[in-house]
Amino acid sequence: MLITFEGIDGAGKSTHTVLLAEWLQSRGHRVRILREPGSTQLSEAIRRVLLDVQQQIDSVAELFLFCAARRQLVQEVIRPALEQGEIVICDRYADSTFAYQGYGRGLDIAMVEHVIAYAIEDVVPQATFVLDLDVATALARRGRRAADVADRMEGASRQFFERVRAGYHALAARNPQRVHLLDAAEPVEGLQERIRTIVAGILARQSAERVA
Ligand code: TYD
């Protein structure tokens, strides 16, 4: 099973990724946590280029770089792990490209979706949690993180992040089965509980299907 976390920078994805992984491990599942862009040697090299403030990157080139990093991760790590029955939890995945490059950068949505689909093929998440937060709060949270120097993506304007957030809302509206839009302003415990309930439901359905 592939589970992904999404949201604008500062919404708390990493916290929930780790909490969910710990819970699943405690229930006996083999779990692998990945982050995007990154988690393979090539994808981490592409990540360094993408986040480097010295780089001037054209929006379409940026789209291809994120998708190149993801393609390598899918082929090298995610697909084999899923075939081995592991649960893969990804801190960002394809929907980040939809929201950031599609809505944030304003690229043609149909073209963006086509490139994403070409890169990931059938490796689509069973559940995606969008941690939704108003942009001002997210930027303030991010600003409080210790010694954080803004990377190339984080240097974008507030309007950019407003568009990204709107992209996530559109994504959730279009994929009500898969995408769960959650209020990231809620306390961590309650939110994590809701995430676990949804994941438990999917796991129960999967084992019922295996028995049938
Ligand atoms: P990261 O440090 O992982 O951000 P965060 O801690 O907020 O998850 O950096 C990834 C940055 O790249 C983040 O600003 C979102 C952006 N991004 C895209 O624009 N498109 C993508 O497809 C992905 C995966 C990330």
Side-chain angles (χ1 to χ4, degrees), residues 8-207:
I8 53 174
D9 314 52
K13 291 180 296 353
S14 312
T15 305
H16 285 288
T17 300
V18 172
L19 288 174
L20 180 64
E22 285 172 358
W23 177 71
L24 287 166
Q25 272 159 348
S26 75
R27 292 172 50 118
H29 295 284
R30 281 179 300 143
V31 181
R32 190 183 290 242
I33 295 183
L34 302 169
R35 72 160 178 184
E36 268 236 87
S39 305
T40 75
Q41 203 179 351
L42 174 64
S43 311
E44 290 289 339
I46 295 172
R47 178 189 177 88
R48 285 193 287 280
V49 171
L50 276 165
L51 299 186
D52 179 359
V53 289
Q54 306 292 334
Q55 295 283 351
Q56 302 283 322
I57 306 182
D58 165 82
S59 295
V60 177
E62 181 180 278
L63 167 73
F64 288 135
L65 285 169
F66 276 113
C67 287
R70 179 167 312 124
R71 170 69 183 189
Q72 187 70 25
L73 180 63
V74 165
Q75 296 302 88
E76 196 177 313
V77 182
I78 300 180
R79 194 187 291 280
L82 294 176
E83 281 167 4
Q84 295 297 314
E86 288 183 39
I87 296 181
V88 177
I89 306 178
C90 220
D91 184 342
R92 295 194 181 283
Y93 190 61
D95 301 318
S96 281
T97 304
F98 179 85
Y100 281 75
Q101 280 63 55
Y103 277 71
R105 298 290 189 222
L107 295 179
D108 180 79
I109 298 294
M111 183 272 289
V112 169
E113 287 185 306
H114 194 67
V115 175
I116 291 172
Y118 198 73
I120 68 172
E121 299 179 45
D122 57 342
V123 183
V124 175
Q126 273 67 53
T128 296
F129 299 103
V130 175
L131 302 181
D132 184 48
L133 197 57
D134 72 85
V135 172
T137 310
L139 294 180
R141 276 195 195 178
R142 203 183 71 196
R144 277 200 298 275
R145 275 191 220 157
D148 234 6
V149 180
D151 61 40
R152 196 185 59 85
M153 295 303 298
E154 290 172 343
S157 67
R158 182 179 168 152
Q159 289 78 6
F160 174 83
F161 290 105
E162 294 286 1
R163 292 196 296 275
V164 172
R165 186 180 184 210
Y168 280 127
H169 287 191
L171 176 84
R174 285 164 63 155
N175 302 277
Q177 298 290 338
R178 171 174 71 87
V179 179
H180 305 270
L181 192 68
L182 302 173
D183 182 1
E186 270 183 43
V188 171
E189 296 74 26
L191 205 52
Q192 176 66 205
E193 206 45 54
R194 294 218 274 134
I195 291 167
R196 289 176 185 179
T197 303
I198 293 167
V199 172
I202 297 170
L203 286 169
R205 268 202 306 285
Q206 283 186 343
S207 58

